[in-house]
Amino acid sequence: MDGHGEMGLIGENFDPGFVGRMKEDGYEIRSESDNFDVPSGDDQDAAADGPSKKKKYHRHTPRQIQELESFFKECPHPDEKQRMELSRRLGLEGKQIKFWFQNRRTQMKTQLERHENVILRQENDKLRAENDLLKQAMTTPICNSCGGPAVPGEISYEQHQLRIENARLKDELTRICALTNKFLGRPLSSSGSPIPPHSLNSNLELAVGRNGFGGLNNAGTSLPMGFEFGDGSMMPIVKPMVNEMQYDRSAFVDVALSAMDELIKMAQMDNPLWIKGLGGGMESLNVEEYKRNFSSCIGMKPSSYATEATKATGLVYLRGLALVEALMDAVCHLVTFTLYVMLVKLFSVLVEMVLLNRWVEMFPCMISRAATIDVLSSGTGVTRDNELQVMDAEFQVLSPLVPVRQVRFIRFCKQHSEGVWAVVDVSIDPSQDATNTQMFPNCRRLPSGCVIQDVDTKCSKITWVEHSEYDDSAVHHLLQPLLSSGFGFGAHRWLATLQRQCDCMAILMSQDIPGENNTGITPAGRKSMIKLAQRMTYNFCAGVCASSIHKWDKLSVGNVGEDVRVMTRKNINDPGEPHGVVLSAATSVWMPVTQERLFDFLRDERMRSEWDILSNGGPMQEMVHVAKGMGHGNCVSLLRGSAINANENNMLILQETWSDASGALVVYAPVDISSMSVVMNGGDSAYVALLPSGFAILPGISQSYHGGRSESNGALVKPEIDGSIVSGCLLTVGFQILVNNVPTAKLTVESVETVNNLISCTIQKIKAALTVT
């Protein structure tokens, strides 16, 4: 068998014991360790004259198995010349090589077919259960309009109409719950349970009041109680699911105050608490000195966790209050509405509300999603002073080899004086949140945040502190030095991202942008094109990091390397993507070149033919260039290549690139001319269907940089240049491909092999073009 055929999705329902059951059912698999001895001519003659003998088995050596498996991953179907070369190199006969590859392909095909049978059996059981439920429902029919018995019996006409109205309102509530769940990723109860009267007055009566935190125990300070519509009417709201967050709010206030004190001290202290990096950049924490000065406000560190703590300071072109507004503005918290009759009117308001998330937009590629779970204090005035929130967030490094960090924490904002604010985050102690004890087990956020000080009317000084404890056992050894040094999630990256975003906003508000080519694009089109590029980059990061923005099914295929993550999902109704089965593949590799050289090569449209199959072997031309900052290569471009046939004349490449001290990014997607014409004239970009691919470049970090791990893979870490950044970088390659435009179609082995080969070939072409190995 040649391995062709359909493959079931190997996702959450994967049964690791099914290979063992195969052997029990009679499948004897010997492709990895055993093979038949091939008899010689003399043996055959002897066998013809004498009694029949049992076939003998030949057991391959571990080295032979390793060589064969390695070659199988690259080429499952070797030709005669390749088999002879393997035979010579491994000391095996040609038929033994041939039989081994046949057995290996048969083994992989059998495993996939067996797993597909398991999935089909599970689906059959589900259908049987649904059939039983339908049979039961037929015995007790109900009214489709009101949910009551099919025969109303003795109830009055008015009661029946009330039931119908109640059913309609419940349906409206269910639709709004589905909408919030789609955007916020957490369920909103659609039950019509009555809301306690005290919830409607939601005054925070917390018996604390120290360090100026008067807003928390002032009976006159309450949460905002409604949305104001255009006609002046108000929609009362209350906090979501009253019994969902079971914690002592007064204890949260104590933790917030303690965390704020620690953040201020850590931001102000220098040596010996902080160890300066070479060149005066990011500073790393002296852990022993920290233990002498502070005590943990969220409990003891788990024994298996590693610690990372960094500090960075810089100027940003943004007023302090504007930054505070962005930091405190995650997706608005879920709400339970008391007046069901206004649900239809609220629907459009809710859509606008959940799409607004300035914190995520301020830090693209770092935050995959965020939501405010509860507001314990709304603060005073427009300054957000004493505002206290409970939040969920997912933080990411652009590599499939680093797990997404999911954290639930409290965020506290305080204005210390005129033009000076501090915003601090600290994880919720599991003992204070009994309902979420094991919710986010891979990371704890110790007091972290920023101190913001206005310098003048245009800019502010930021001192950023990041302090976390995390489980590094799930981090690939190639990325461990990056995280332990603080360059992965540290203050350096947060500040660099914030500076780049502020520069971008300043450029976009400028009327005269040097070097920008806006030929054929209106000002509204410029804005629409940037919005489309932001969505493209956001989806690229979600595919590389496997964040919960999309529901991915992870695939495990024998001939795909361990460092390559392959996932799939189905798009049925999202107009921003092609409908069908989407396959995503990503990996990270070491590149022995500098970040600047690699970034310049990948973003150069003239060199694109060296690695991109979409270029059709020729250079590309930049049609539109929209600058997004004064930095090197920070822009959105529209590229056009040389077409081989008339059908390809309609294809363009939308590309976004940026580079800063924390890394670089090159993301692109093919788009058609008609869609981009609408966008460049200011049309809505939400209906432009695209699937992004691209590259993320991360700094290469030496193991010895402030406690780097000696057990990391030393062969992949190059000698230092300045003590921190080595003469190389990490390259993440990610592709998202539509493999079938029918959402119900099954994924095939050939599709997985195609995207795996695409990644491998692209990396090899880049290395060859840069003359590196």
Side-chain angles (χ1 to χ4, degrees):
M1 302 177 70
D2 61 0
H4 292 283
E6 292 187 338
M7 178 185 68
L9 300 182
I10 306 177
E12 298 178 353
N13 296 324
F14 177 71
D15 182 5
F18 80 89
V19 176
R21 292 197 300 270
M22 288 171 57
K23 294 184 178 180
E24 295 175 4
D25 294 343
Y27 292 98
E28 187 67 25
I29 302 173
R30 303 182 180 273
S31 61
E32 297 190 8
S33 59
D34 299 327
N35 208 337
F36 293 111
D37 266 344
V38 181
S40 63
D42 295 337
D43 294 336
Q44 291 174 354
D45 294 339
D49 297 335
S52 60
K53 299 181 180 180
K54 284 187 176 182
K55 294 182 180 179
K56 295 185 295 182
Y57 291 100
H58 171 76
R59 183 173 294 278
H60 297 325
T61 66
R63 187 186 70 83
Q64 291 172 334
I65 295 173
Q66 184 178 5
E67 290 280 345
L68 290 169
E69 288 287 355
S70 177
F71 194 90
F72 183 82
K73 290 180 179 180
E74 300 295 332
C75 180
H77 301 272
D79 56 24
E80 183 66 25
K81 182 178 179 181
Q82 291 171 320
R83 289 199 298 268
M84 294 303 296
E85 172 62 21
L86 284 173
S87 173
R88 181 191 63 78
R89 194 168 67 206
L90 301 179
L92 298 173
E93 296 185 13
K95 290 186 177 181
Q96 288 179 301
I97 300 293
K98 180 179 178 181
F99 293 156
W100 188 93
F101 275 89
Q102 288 178 349
N103 291 342
R104 187 68 179 86
R105 291 193 297 267
T106 301
Q107 177 194 13
M108 184 175 69
K109 179 69 177 301
T110 304
Q111 290 174 351
L112 297 176
E113 290 177 347
R114 178 75 181 212
H115 181 62
E116 185 176 3
N117 290 338
V118 172
I119 294 178
L120 291 175
R121 191 179 301 114
Q122 293 174 347
E123 292 179 353
N124 185 45
D125 292 340
K126 290 180 181 179
L127 291 174
R128 186 179 292 109
E130 291 177 1
N131 187 36
D132 293 339
L133 290 175
L134 289 174
K135 289 180 179 179
Q136 183 180 0
M138 291 175 64
T139 61
T140 56
I142 60 174
C143 176
N144 292 330
S145 300
C146 67
V151 181
E154 299 299 325
I155 66 171
S156 65
Y157 175 78
E158 291 76 9
Q159 288 177 317
H160 189 63
Q161 292 300 314
L162 286 175
R163 286 187 178 185
I164 294 176
E165 179 69 8
N166 186 47
R168 185 186 66 81
L169 292 174
K170 283 184 178 180
D171 182 64
E172 291 290 344
L173 180 61
T174 301
R175 288 201 298 130
I176 290 195
C177 290
L179 176 68
T180 56
N181 185 34
K182 175 182 178 181
F183 283 100
L184 304 184
R186 50 190 302 276
L188 175 63
S189 174
S190 60
S191 63
S193 58
I195 299 169
H198 62 79
S199 297
L200 298 178
N201 287 324
S202 199
N203 289 327
L204 296 177
E205 299 175 353
L206 303 181
V208 293
R210 58 188 177 126
N211 294 351
F213 204 89
L216 290 180
N217 63 346
N218 186 347
T221 303
S222 62
L223 296 177
M225 292 309 301
F227 293 116
E228 183 173 358
F229 297 102
D231 57 4
S233 60
M234 295 290 292
M235 165 57 72
I237 65 172
V238 295
K239 291 187 293 298
M241 291 177 268
V242 177
N243 296 322
E244 180 198 7
M245 300 286 291
Q246 300 175 0
Y247 47 64
D248 184 356
R249 296 190 178 187
S250 62
F252 275 16
V253 174
D254 290 335
V255 172
L257 293 171
S258 177
M260 179 62 72
D261 290 340
E262 181 173 324
L263 174 68
I264 296 299
K265 292 177 181 178
M266 293 183 71
Q268 293 174 346
M269 296 175 66
D270 292 319
N271 194 43
L273 182 63
W274 294 102
I275 303 172
K276 289 187 177 294
L278 299 180
M282 183 173 60
E283 304 174 57
S284 298
L285 184 69
N286 183 336
V287 179
E288 295 301 324
E289 186 68 20
Y290 172 79
K291 291 180 180 179
R292 283 193 289 268
N293 286 274
F294 304 99
S295 59
S296 176
C297 57
I298 59 172
M300 297 294 293
K301 180 184 79 171
S303 58
S304 60
Y305 276 30
T307 300
E308 62 178 25
T310 53
K311 183 176 78 168
T313 303
L315 294 176
V316 298
Y317 289 98
L318 190 68
R319 291 292 306 275
L321 183 57
L323 179 56
V324 169
E325 288 284 345
L327 293 174
M328 302 305 294
D329 181 23
V331 173
C332 296
H333 62 279
L334 302 183
V335 291
T336 303
F337 303 102
T338 58
L339 298 182
Y340 291 155
V341 294
M342 301 181 69
L343 283 171
V344 178
K345 192 171 186 180
L346 177 64
F347 185 82
S348 60
V349 178
L350 183 61
V351 172
E352 183 177 358
M353 179 182 71
V354 298
L355 291 177
L356 182 61
N357 192 336
R358 283 185 287 173
W359 183 40
V360 175
E361 291 179 354
M362 185 65 74
F363 297 95
C365 308
M366 292 194 66
I367 308 172
S368 59
R369 70 184 309 158
T372 299
I373 304 303
D374 202 356
V375 177
L376 303 182
S377 172
S378 58
T380 56
V382 297
T383 63
R384 301 289 188 120
D385 185 28
N386 291 331
E387 183 165 338
L388 183 61
Q389 303 177 358
V390 180
M391 305 179 69
D392 278 349
E394 289 183 358
F395 305 115
Q396 60 192 8
V397 167
L398 296 183
S399 170
L401 308 183
V402 179
V404 172
R405 290 187 179 179
Q406 299 175 311
V407 188
R408 173 163 290 183
F409 56 94
I410 54 178
R411 172 165 289 181
F412 176 37
C413 174
K414 184 168 182 60
Q415 184 177 19
H416 289 269
S417 61
E418 184 67 26
V420 179
W421 293 265
V423 179
V424 66
D425 300 340
V426 61
S427 285
I428 293 177
D429 189 342
S431 63
Q432 296 174 331
D433 187 9
T435 61
N436 296 282
T437 304
Q438 301 295 329
M439 186 172 182
F440 302 132
N442 68 342
C443 178
R444 302 199 319 164
R445 192 165 170 83
L446 279 70
S448 304
C450 59
V451 177
I452 307 165
Q453 181 179 1
D454 279 337
V455 175
D456 55 29
T457 58
K458 294 183 179 180
C459 66
S460 56
K461 177 183 177 182
I462 309 297
T463 300
W464 204 290
V465 175
E466 278 296 316
H467 191 185
S468 299
E469 296 169 346
Y470 66 98
D471 182 7
D472 65 343
S473 60
V475 180
H476 193 279
H477 58 76
L478 181 62
L479 276 295
Q480 284 181 350
L482 183 77
L483 268 62
S484 62
S485 65
F487 279 86
F489 292 96
H492 175 75
R493 186 179 175 212
W494 285 95
L495 186 57
T497 302
L498 178 60
Q499 290 172 328
R500 175 168 49 80
Q501 287 297 106
C502 291
D503 290 345
C504 175
M505 289 189 292
I507 287 292
L508 294 180
M509 288 187 293
S510 175
Q511 298 297 325
D512 185 18
I513 304 175
E516 180 168 297
N517 177 16
N518 282 337
T519 305
I521 183 171
T522 65
R526 183 166 166 258
K527 180 179 179 180
S528 183
M529 184 172 172
I530 290 177
K531 185 177 179 181
L532 177 61
Q534 288 175 338
R535 174 163 65 88
M536 174 182 70
T537 302
Y538 188 70
N539 287 338
F540 170 76
C541 297
V544 166
C545 301
S547 70
S548 58
I549 293 297
H550 298 296
K551 186 181 184 305
W552 294 101
D553 292 317
K554 186 177 179 181
L555 303 179
S556 178
V557 184
N559 60 337
V560 176
E562 295 180 356
D563 296 344
V564 180
R565 180 164 62 193
V566 181
M567 305 178 298
T568 184
R569 61 183 174 87
K570 298 177 180 179
N571 178 40
I572 300 176
N573 53 14
D574 185 356
E577 292 182 346
H579 292 180
V581 180
V582 177
L583 189 64
S584 172
T587 189
S588 295
V589 297
W590 172 264
M591 295 293 290
V593 295
T594 63
Q595 172 183 319
E596 291 78 11
R597 183 184 175 194
L598 182 58
F599 175 67
D600 288 340
F601 170 76
L602 293 175
R603 75 181 186 89
D604 190 349
E605 67 273 8
R606 297 168 299 178
M607 303 297 296
R608 201 176 186 96
S609 59
E610 298 287 338
W611 57 267
D612 187 7
I613 61 174
L614 296 178
S615 65
N616 296 324
M620 284 194 168
Q621 176 186 0
E622 185 179 59
M623 299 175 58
V624 178
H625 178 101
V626 178
K628 290 190 63 178
M630 301 302 295
H632 183 50
N634 293 356
C635 64
V636 175
S637 305
L638 197 60
L639 309 178
R640 180 175 59 188
S642 52
I644 296 179
N645 54 59
N647 293 332
E648 294 180 353
N649 282 325
N650 294 325
M651 196 267 290
L652 302 173
I653 300 292
L654 177 67
Q655 177 173 283
E656 179 175 10
T657 61
W658 58 256
S659 177
D660 59 28
S662 67
L665 192 75
V666 177
V667 181
Y668 62 91
V671 292
D672 60 87
I673 291 180
S674 59
S675 297
M676 288 309 300
S677 297
V678 174
V679 171
M680 288 191 294
N681 284 286
D684 188 1
S685 63
Y687 297 95
V688 178
L690 51 78
L691 287 175
S693 300
F695 310 93
I697 306 173
L698 306 174
I701 305 298
S702 168
Q703 297 173 3
S704 61
Y705 178 73
H706 295 319
R709 296 182 167 271
S710 60
E711 66 265 25
S712 297
N713 190 344
L716 293 173
V717 179
K718 306 303 179 183
E720 298 182 25
I721 291 182
D722 60 359
S724 59
I725 307 297
V726 294
S727 57
C729 57
L730 296 167
L731 175 65
T732 295
V733 184
F735 290 98
Q736 293 187 38
I737 299 174
L738 184 71
V739 295
N740 199 310
N741 57 10
V742 179
T744 57
K746 292 185 179 180
L747 199 61
T748 62
V749 177
E750 289 77 6
S751 299
V752 178
E753 292 179 347
T754 297
V755 72
N756 184 48
N757 292 336
L758 178 60
I759 283 186
S760 177
C761 292
T762 301
I763 293 174
Q764 293 301 323
K765 288 181 179 180
I766 293 173
K767 289 183 175 181
L770 296 174
T771 63
V772 299
T773 58

